[in-house]
Amino acid sequence: MIVVMRLGATAKEVGQVIKTIEEMGFKPHLSKGEERTVIGVIGNERKFDPGRLEVLPGVEKVIPILRPFKLASREFHPDDTIVNVCGVQIGGREAVVMAGPCAVEDREQLFEAAEAVKRHGARLLRGGAFKPRTSPYAFQGLGRKGLELLREARERTGLPVVTECLAVQDLPAIVEFADVIQIGARNMQNFNLLEEVGRVQKPVLLKRGMMSTLEELLMSAEYILSKGNMNVILCERGIRTFEKYTRNTLDVSAVPVLKRLSHLPVVVDPSHAAGEKYLVGTLARAGIAAGADGIIVEVHPHPEHALCDGAQALLPSDFQKMMEELRLIARAIGREVAPSPDAAAPAAPATATSSPHDLRAEG
Ligand code: PEP
Ligand code: MN
């Protein structure tokens, strides 16, 4: 159920509605949009009497949210949510690229990857310290040592870090070192973990389970939101279908569908959908063209030696090419992808008064 306040409703009127919701035994959830204030009513709706709220001053209407996800729904929050990661806005005009190795393997590998992705315009660094592997004999990640290396890479490059939290017991360490907590596809329905990340205020990148519907993804987001953490970024990373030429099938439609149903930012992971490097750039372009708010992509300086997912890792040179293509696509749809930080700043136009020694005029 949501309570839509009239345009210009006063703080006192909003306060009265919140108080009444609490008195009725429900939890209010305030959302201040650009135009108007909406208050979500969380709890068992069958016991809810809308009449008590409809009569309050400042209330325009009380409407049921028919979908099972409430706080994640567009009805509750009509404007796009922008998640702020250390000053990088995810969900705004910029399509944000997050890049780095699948797993943190050692200092040289991580720093080489981090510096390369930074050089070509990535805004966040990805890298797993705790890896969810199908085989218990495969490389499981460096654990805490990996988190420490990520912190060093962050200090060197200035790139905020996104890294996966596999288990509740690792959460305090992840919160200490990471800027975005990644919940992987295999944990999308680990409800206990979702509730715990809902209790912290760090942004969460929630990946779609490989056999999950979009409604299930949004219900998982709802677990996080309902505990108070509104900084959730959804991620489409491919789902399992009968097709075997790709590791997973990238569900491009997930992007516009999620953006229609929800206010949360949506990013695309072309790497885990593709499974093979040759496809990654194409899927990344499709994701941006479909309206994704960003891309999370795997890059490794020496994929032939990678301990995890080498076949789908881009070389830094592939990444550079992909970034150039993404910039063109983003521009074509009224968005932008960050330029490489080395790109020369555009020269100021010459003016009649500039002297021959005015370097700005020579650019
Ligand atoms: C990852 O991004 O490192 C990863 C394991 O992806 P997913 O959870 O989508 O398989
Ligand atoms: Mn991977």
Side-chain angles (χ1 to χ4, degrees):
M1 204 68 73
I2 55 174
V3 181
V4 181
M5 301 301 292
R6 287 211 178 95
L7 280 178
T10 64
K12 192 163 165 235
E13 288 168 341
V14 171
Q16 180 60 44
V17 172
I18 288 179
K19 193 160 158 266
T20 311
I21 293 171
E22 284 168 345
E23 280 168 11
M24 290 163 80
F26 291 85
K27 205 171 142 217
H29 219 291
L30 188 66
S31 167
K32 279 203 168 121
E34 265 173 31
E35 293 215 327
R36 55 178 90 222
T37 298
V38 168
I39 304 162
V41 183
I42 309 301
N44 183 348
E45 290 196 1
R46 269 187 298 185
K47 299 195 187 134
F48 182 77
D49 170 16
R52 265 189 79 183
L53 296 173
E54 276 162 351
V55 294
L56 292 178
V59 172
E60 179 165 308
K61 54 189 172 183
V62 180
I63 43 177
I65 298 182
L66 298 174
R67 300 190 198 277
F69 44 91
K70 314 283 178 195
L71 300 175
S73 73
R74 271 265 175 220
E75 289 101 317
F76 170 61
H77 193 288
D79 301 327
D80 288 343
T81 283
I82 296 184
V83 175
N84 183 336
V85 181
C86 310
V88 179
Q89 315 279 337
I90 303 175
R93 194 178 121 81
E94 177 184 349
V96 171
V97 176
M98 316 173 195
C102 177
V104 179
E105 298 170 5
D106 55 55
R107 180 178 265 107
E108 289 70 35
Q109 171 251 15
L110 179 64
F111 290 1
E112 224 180 301
E115 276 159 17
V117 301
K118 158 104 185 189
R119 190 160 58 244
H120 300 307
R123 303 276 272 143
L124 266 75
L125 173 65
R126 65 146 289 148
F130 297 89
K131 293 305 304 175
R133 303 306 301 275
T134 303
S135 166
Y137 309 118
F139 175 59
Q140 304 286 311
L142 296 181
R144 194 175 169 94
K145 175 78 196 149
L147 295 179
E148 286 165 5
L149 291 174
L150 283 166
R151 173 176 281 173
E152 274 189 59
R154 180 188 196 284
E155 280 163 10
R156 279 171 86 105
T157 58
L159 295 179
V161 161
V162 46
T163 197
E164 179 163 354
C165 182
L166 272 187
V168 170
Q169 79 252 23
D170 301 327
L171 187 58
I174 303 276
V175 168
E176 184 185 339
F177 287 90
D179 300 296
V180 179
I181 306 165
Q182 179 173 323
I183 300 296
R186 290 156 191 80
N187 261 326
M188 189 204 86
Q189 288 191 313
N190 181 340
F191 301 118
N192 200 241
L193 181 60
L194 298 176
E195 287 186 342
E196 289 305 316
V197 299
R199 291 194 177 98
V200 297
Q201 285 307 314
K202 282 255 150 120
V204 178
L205 179 85
L206 177 64
K207 299 188 86 173
R208 179 182 186 182
M210 58 190 87
M211 286 169 288
S212 300
T213 63
L214 296 176
E215 186 158 300
E216 286 164 341
L217 171 62
L218 289 166
M219 292 310 291
S220 291
E222 191 78 14
Y223 264 90
I224 303 171
L225 302 174
S226 66
K227 292 292 167 204
N229 186 349
M230 300 305 282
N231 303 303
V232 177
I233 303 157
L234 304 169
C235 178
E236 161 60 36
R237 47 77 74 203
I239 47 175
R240 215 166 241 193
T241 67
F242 47 79
E243 182 49 64
K244 295 213 177 80
Y245 280 109
T246 50
R247 182 174 178 182
N248 290 286
T249 298
L250 182 71
D251 181 4
V252 181
S253 338
V255 178
V257 171
L258 289 170
K259 292 205 74 79
R260 182 185 172 91
L261 294 175
S262 177
H263 52 92
L264 297 172
V266 180
V267 305
V268 161
D269 172 349
S271 305
H272 291 88
E276 285 190 66
K277 173 179 119 152
Y278 84 94
L279 262 176
V280 172
T282 310
L283 299 187
R285 299 199 302 269
I288 295 296
D293 297 300
I295 293 291
I296 178 162
V297 64
E298 290 184 347
V299 177
H300 196 296
H302 309 285
E304 67 285 8
H305 300 308
L307 298 179
C308 186
D309 285 351
Q312 68 195 32
L314 296 182
L315 282 165
S317 54
D318 303 320
F319 179 69
Q320 178 179 17
K321 180 166 176 284
M322 182 199 81
M323 291 296 281
E324 284 160 8
E325 293 166 347
L326 295 186
R327 285 185 194 108
L328 295 174
I329 291 181
R331 206 168 306 143
I333 56 168
R335 300 189 77 167
E336 62 188 80
V337 165
S340 153
D342 295 342
T351 63
T353 54
S354 53
S355 77
H357 301 294
D358 185 343
L359 287 176
R360 288 177 311 156
E362 292 171 12

